Amino acid sequence: MIDVFGSVRGLLKLDIVCIDNNIFRLHYKITVIMLVIFSLIVTTHQYVGDPIDCLVVGVPTHIMNSYCWTHSTLIVDRKVRGRIGKYAVQPGVGPYLEGQDVVNYQKYYQWVCFVLFFQAVCFYIPRYVWKTFEGGRIRVLVSDLNDVMVDKERKSNSINQLVEYFTVNLHMHNLYAIWFFTCEVLNFVNVVGQMLFLNYFFEDEFRTYGLDAFRFVVMDPKERGDPMSRIFPKVTKCTFEKYGTSGTIQKFDGLCLLPLNVVNEKIYVFLWFWFLFIAVVSGFNLVYRTAVVISSKFRLLLLRKESHLSPWNELITINEKFKIGDWFILYQIGKNCEPGIFKDLVTNLANSFKWTDV
């Protein structure tokens, strides 16, 4: 567990060299950290604390607890929506008629801690793919350029090396940009896929879970069923069957308390809104990225924003000479350079291309 916390702490560190963007970091930093922490919280309560307590006459408590936890508990669907204190003592708890009432058997709460960790891994995969392919290229290219105290000679040498690099490798960076854009698409596909997966995992109850929970909390809770109790009931029923002394099957109907679900329901209400937020933000980012790919003028405006100290004519010269991959490399370098140093780099690049055209 200490090693896991150490890994999470490592994600909190700010990268010296930025090779992605803020939206990318929402996926592999913020979301991964939250999911790992949630997984550790649930795991602690599940395997260190007491996840279930059952009350039944005729069966030892420890046997009933183990049986109901490993098999399943149940709630009666019509009792979830009934008013508490009038139609049911607890949401989903009450008598039911077999074959007539809808009964929901639930045991997926055993897997919540594993699912949370699995989701954290999935959110980190695009980052792992991009970091593997990127291979530290930007770190090498911006060496000595992200230090404002670097001496003039070293700065001049680094800028000249970068100009030579772009001259020799002009129009050879498109694959680099395509990989990054693909990983951005993977981020969007992953978060949408995670939402669909959770809806399947919670038996089609997650689709409107956050919105239903918000309405339940804000509006009069007495007039509507608790949506959180449908997925994560705090009190459930459990039926234990065994042979009696005469060889007949005896049924023991017990009442079980699931304190762990108090934590689970809050976690997934938050995740519902968080996944929706990053899905929307990532969708807008893909629209932005599409504009970057198809519009040379838009790339010029972004380059101007990154190098606001540079004259327009120099930026236009570079933008006309560069393809999307070259532009992306230069834009990434600009995010990791001091503004004054980046201005000198742009000037040298523009002059180099002018002399080449002559």
Side-chain angles (χ1 to χ4, degrees), residues 73-89:
T73 59
L74 62 93
I75 58 174
V76 184
D77 187 67
R78 64 182 177 87
K79 296 293 182 179
V80 174
R81 294 170 175 82
R83 178 177 288 189
I84 305 305
K86 184 176 180 180
Y87 299 106
V89 293

Side-chain angles (χ1 to χ4, degrees), residues 7 9 16 18 65 72 96 107 129 150 155 163 179 183 225 228 259 264 277 280-281 298 318 320 323 326 328 343:
S7 300
R9 189 169 57 250
I16 299 176
C18 176
N65 289 347
S72 64
Y96 65 95
K107 57 182 178 181
V129 172
V150 65
K155 182 184 74 171
V163 171
W179 267 102
C183 288
M228 294 178 284
N264 289 336
F277 167 71
V280 171
V281 170
F298 188 53
I318 293 174
E320 290 177 348
K323 290 187 176 180
D326 308 310
F328 182 68
K343 174 186 178 298

